[in-house]
């Protein structure tokens, strides 16, 4: 995938890995809007895969492809074991998390603190590559704490690429490991897009994607003037309908009107299966709340999903009612 993209100058649009957000139900929704976007799982810790309930952690819907599994860990042996186990599930890519600053992650010595240990990351990548049948990639920051990104990032990149990484996604800000919450670490350290562009210029043969603070597809297209890929996290999650333009604007496919009724029906069928298997409607609909931001009826849509979907015994009629609240053909005055 990455080699072909680089060779042909094709760009990749990805929805970022986000713990508690990009679960299989969220990815199914996103996939209804874009057939091409690369979707990432939440980070799953290698130990959990080795010792935990594999089907629950790794199972997903066959419509989700292309889908990348993100792993957390810093032990090459455990990571390679996790990659081997995940091999049975048919993910299209395995990604190593070197960007997450949360306490939970730091205590396990993985995530962003590994920016300080590029040789460990390189060993992990090499071990993962040795067993993976799909591309192995890294998602990192530009540095942590008092590191000088201009000094450490080129060295970090060189090492992970030499170890076999097929692509590197860079969140264009530092993580400050002490004193900031994970949320603050996505907002407070300043973005340095120029440095990430420079990394791409200096590594023309390496697929490098950019992440961090990209608000919409206009901005995504601007970044793609400099980069091989763009990764959107919060904007894609909170303003989900932007994904409906990705296949056209990023992948050059014919422009099409979104099929909102088709989406409704797909989500109702998916939710019905999920409930029949013992799940709760709310686990599906909570990812849909940001679907129609800015459209007439969006507030009512959100209200219905947030209140009615959590009631005991709630079924797919809630999705139907929520969609009925949206005016899909507003007159110009109503939009204003
Ligand atoms: C709720 C949430 C959970 C996240 N979980 C992960 C994760 O599991 N792995 C990871 O590499 N980054 C994680 N991130 C960081 C995002 O992948 C992304 O790097 C960050 O949000 C910046 O991109 P954005 O500005 O487009 O949101 C998370 C972000 C959010 C908002």
């Amino acid at each position: 995938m990455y080699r072909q993209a680089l060779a042909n100058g094709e760009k990749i649009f990805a929805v970022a890995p986000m713990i508690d957000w990009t679960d299989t139900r969220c990815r199914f929704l996103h996939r209804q809007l874009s057939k091409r976007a690369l979707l990432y799982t939440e980070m799953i810790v290698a130990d959990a895969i080795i010792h935990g309930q594999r089907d629950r952690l790794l199972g997903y819907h066959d419509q989700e492809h292309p889908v990348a599994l993100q792993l957390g860990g810093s032990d090459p042996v455990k990571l390679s074991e996790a990659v081997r186990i995940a091999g049975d599930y048919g993910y299209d890519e395995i990604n190593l998390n070197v960007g997450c600053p949360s306490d939970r992650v730091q205590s396990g010595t993985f995530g962003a603190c590994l920016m300080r240990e590029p040789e460990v990351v390189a060993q992990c990548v090499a071990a993962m590559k040795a067993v993976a049948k799909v591309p192995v990639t890294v998602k990192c920051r530009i540095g942590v704490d008092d590191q000088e990104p201009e000094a450490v990032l080129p060295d970090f990149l060189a090492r992970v690429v030499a170890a076999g990484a097929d692509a590197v996604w860079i969140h264009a800000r530092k993580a400050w490991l002490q004193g900031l919450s994970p949320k603050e670490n996505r907002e407070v350290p300043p973005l340095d897009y120029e440095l990430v562009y420079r990394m791409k210029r200096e590594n023309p043969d390496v697929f490098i994607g950019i992440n961090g603070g990209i608000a919409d597809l206009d901005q995504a297209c601007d970044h793609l003037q400099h980069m091989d890929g763009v990764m959107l996290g919060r904007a894609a999650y909170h303003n989900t309908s932007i994904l409906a333009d990705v296949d056209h604007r990023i992948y050059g496919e014919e422009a099409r009107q979104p099929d909102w009724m088709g989406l409704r029906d797909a989500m109702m069928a998916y939710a019905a299966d999920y409930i029949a298997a013992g799940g709760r409607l709310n686990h599906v609909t909570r990812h849909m709340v940001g679907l129609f931001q800015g459209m007439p009826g969006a507030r009512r849509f959100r209200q219905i999903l947030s209140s009615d979907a959590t009631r005991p015994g709630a079924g797919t009629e809630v999705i139907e009612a929520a969609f009925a609240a949206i005016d899909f053909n507003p007159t110009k005055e109503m939009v204003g």
Side-chain angles (χ1 to χ4, degrees):
M1 167 171 61
Y2 288 105
R3 196 163 303 160
Q4 186 190 327
L6 255 189
N8 301 341
E10 292 161 3
K11 306 296 182 179
I12 292 183
F13 177 98
V15 179
M18 291 179 281
I19 289 179
D20 292 335
W21 290 10
T22 54
D23 60 22
T24 179
R25 296 167 290 284
C26 173
R27 299 191 306 264
F28 181 86
L29 167 69
H30 289 177
R31 179 59 70 221
Q32 303 314 304
L33 296 164
S34 165
K35 297 295 166 215
R36 304 289 297 273
L38 172 60
L39 304 180
Y40 278 79
T41 66
E42 309 166 82
M43 180 190 73
I44 306 181
V45 177
D47 265 322
I49 293 176
I50 296 167
H51 303 294
Q53 297 174 26
R54 292 172 185 175
D55 286 349
R56 193 181 60 75
L57 290 168
L58 294 173
Y60 60 94
H61 196 285
D62 57 13
Q63 275 188 32
E64 285 176 39
H65 295 287
V67 58
L69 169 66
Q70 189 187 57
L71 295 179
S74 58
D75 178 336
V77 175
K78 287 182 180 174
L79 282 165
S80 69
E81 178 62 1
V83 171
R84 196 190 56 71
I85 294 166
D88 293 340
Y89 290 81
Y91 284 96
D92 298 290
E93 169 189 332
I94 310 284
N95 175 269
L96 180 65
N97 181 346
V98 189
C100 225
S102 80
D103 291 345
R104 207 161 36 136
V105 169
Q106 273 185 70
S107 61
T109 340
F110 42 77
C113 57
L114 288 174
M115 292 300 298
R116 291 194 180 287
E117 300 186 61
E119 70 289 352
V120 174
V121 178
Q123 286 163 14
C124 292
V125 168
M128 292 162 75
K129 275 296 278 186
V131 286
K133 298 188 179 69
V134 292
V136 171
T137 66
V138 170
K139 177 168 177 278
C140 66
R141 296 268 181 154
I142 59 174
V144 291
D145 297 335
D146 55 359
Q147 284 184 324
E148 289 291 340
E150 291 78 6
V152 295
L153 191 57
D155 174 61
F156 179 88
L157 278 177
R159 290 190 198 217
V160 298
V161 169
D166 294 282
V168 183
W169 290 95
I170 305 175
H171 183 175
R173 52 161 61 92
K174 276 185 173 180
W176 294 339
L177 298 176
Q178 303 298 328
L180 288 190
S181 69
K183 184 168 184 292
E184 288 167 329
N185 254 313
R186 293 191 284 268
E187 288 158 7
V188 177
L191 287 156
D192 188 348
Y193 294 138
E194 218 15 82
L195 175 64
V196 180
Y197 294 166
R198 207 183 89 209
M199 293 302 104
K200 176 59 213 174
R201 283 197 301 273
E202 291 175 3
N203 294 276
D205 300 331
V206 181
F207 185 105
I208 303 181
I210 192 164
N211 166 245
I214 304 171
D216 54 34
L217 294 191
D218 286 339
Q219 291 185 11
C221 289
D222 290 345
H223 286 294
L224 288 175
Q225 301 292 320
H226 309 270
M227 304 299 302
D228 303 313
V230 279
M231 176 184 272
L232 274 68
R234 290 163 292 184
Y237 188 85
H238 290 309
N239 192 5
T240 325
S241 63
I242 65 171
L243 295 176
D245 286 331
V246 163
D247 293 355
H248 170 57
R249 293 202 52 193
I250 311 287
Y251 292 95
E253 295 198 352
E254 208 176 304
R256 264 189 267 137
Q257 283 301 320
D259 176 8
W260 297 125
M261 290 303 108
L263 174 67
R264 178 197 66 182
D265 295 347
M267 293 315 298
M268 285 174 68
Y270 179 84
D273 288 348
Y274 183 70
I275 293 167
R280 289 179 44 196
L281 178 70
N282 175 248
H283 294 167
V284 177
T285 54
R286 74 187 191 97
H287 302 301
M288 297 168 62
V289 171
L291 254 178
F292 297 119
Q293 238 194 67
M295 278 172 72
R299 181 199 290 229
R300 183 83 194 106
F301 178 86
R302 281 196 300 274
Q303 275 169 354
I304 294 172
L305 288 186
S306 323
S307 57
D308 298 358
T310 51
R311 298 214 171 103
T316 59
E317 70 285 348
V318 176
I319 298 178
E320 194 167 19
F323 272 74
I326 299 287
D327 180 358
F328 289 107
N329 297 299
T331 61
K332 285 213 163 57
E333 298 78 59
M334 283 177 73
V335 175

